Every structure is written in structure tokens, then in C-alpha cells.
Amino acid sequence: EQSMSTRQTGLRKQFGFECACVLCSSEPPASNATLLWETKVAEAEGQVAAGENPDEILPLLLAAITGLETEDRGKRMVLARAHRLVTECAEHLLNATGEEEFAVRFLRSSIALLDLQRWMLWPEHADLARSLLDVSEGVRTLLGIRNGRLLLHEFAQFSDLTDAREFMAACRKEHLKIKRCYDQGIARYWRHRKSLQST
């Protein structure tokens, strides 16, 4: 999940071409405000990778998401990166503090990320599988808080607990389907390599 300019630079350096796929060619030029938010998200990525305090990073990311959503809906890649970072920070803070607010933030960004990835990625992409698992785990976590009342209060898309459980099960099932595709592909790759080495 990189910005168009980052992807294009990497492709030019490594492979010597400029990509013209739908994702790369449909991304409109960024406004100054969008470039600012993209820079802030990149800074947050560095802070998360360096293990800095997620409690300080999270407000910056939430501001970036709000800014990107109001500024330019075409910057889906940057939004996706910001939502991924919010899930990582919220998960860390939830594990450290147990505060319900972080469980809600985790699920809210996981769902937003999943929606963005469904638009950007092919249906069997590994990142999509990860987000499906995150959504499933986020729902499971919130089902366990206040007998699921917090989940129903914060997420209007669930009409009742049964609806939430069915959604959780569907996400987990789709995650496992994608994971099996990757596991089978990796197994075929290694069998093929082994057969080449033995000949």
C-alpha cells in the first residue's frame, strides 16, 4: 500500500518502466493538502516502525484520515496506509490499556481499510486476507465487551448480535479461502523448485 509516486519511482528504479495499470493511471494528481497528509502518514509509518509511542501517533493519523477524506477521495492509497497504521496503533493501545475506545478504533479502521482494499486489490490479495481477519477479530473483541452492546451502539451496520456474528463468520471464511490459495500457491512453487533442482 504505497502512494502512486512511491510505486512509480520504485518501478522505474528496479524495472525501468512506468506502470499504466488502472490503479496507477486513475490516481489523480495530488493537491498540496493531500501531499501534506501523505507526508504526515509517511512520518507516522516511520514512527510506528521505530516503536514510538502509539498514543502520540494515533491522533496524527486520525487527523490525516479526516483531512484526506475531506480533501480528496481519490487518494485511496494514502488513506489505506493511514487506516492500516491506526489499526496497528489501536491494537497496541488496546493490549496495553484494555480501553474500549481502542477496540472501537481498531474495528472502525479495519472496516474502512477493507472497503478501500476491496476497491484497490484483486479478490485474492494477501493484504485483503489480513484485513478480513482484523475485521473478524475486531467484531469478536467487541462482542465480548458489555455483551456486545458497545458494538451495536458504535456500528449501525449491525442490526443485532446475530447479524454481527454472521458478518464475523463471513469475514473469517473469506480470510481462510484467500489463505488457502496462498498456501497452495507456495506449496506448488516449492515443489516446482525442488523438481528443477533434482534434474
Side-chain angles (χ1 to χ4, degrees), residues 25-43:
S25 60
S26 68
E27 196 167 12
S31 68
N32 288 339
T34 300
L35 290 173
L36 172 70
W37 290 119
E38 186 171 359
T39 302
K40 297 286 187 191
V41 170
E43 288 172 12

Side-chain angles (χ1 to χ4, degrees), residues 94-176:
L94 176 63
N95 291 335
T97 67
E99 291 182 28
E100 297 170 352
E101 162 195 359
F102 299 121
V104 171
R105 288 205 189 284
F106 176 84
L107 181 56
R108 190 162 281 129
S109 272
S110 294
I111 290 172
L113 178 59
L114 180 62
D115 290 344
L116 288 165
Q117 288 175 330
R118 285 192 190 281
W119 180 86
M120 295 186 307
L121 305 174
W122 65 89
E124 291 83 26
H125 197 282
D127 288 345
L128 192 61
R130 177 182 174 189
S131 294
L132 285 160
L133 183 61
D134 284 348
V135 168
S136 175
E137 288 299 308
V139 170
R140 185 186 62 74
T141 299
L142 284 170
L143 282 170
I145 296 174
R146 291 194 251 155
N147 295 323
R149 289 190 311 271
L150 180 62
L151 175 69
L152 296 179
H153 175 73
E154 293 287 336
F155 296 89
Q157 66 258 46
F158 302 122
S159 57
D160 57 26
L161 295 178
T162 300
D163 186 32
R165 285 186 187 100
E166 288 172 357
F167 179 76
M168 177 182 71
C171 286
R172 185 167 295 278
K173 182 178 178 181
E174 191 176 349
H175 159 78
L176 291 172

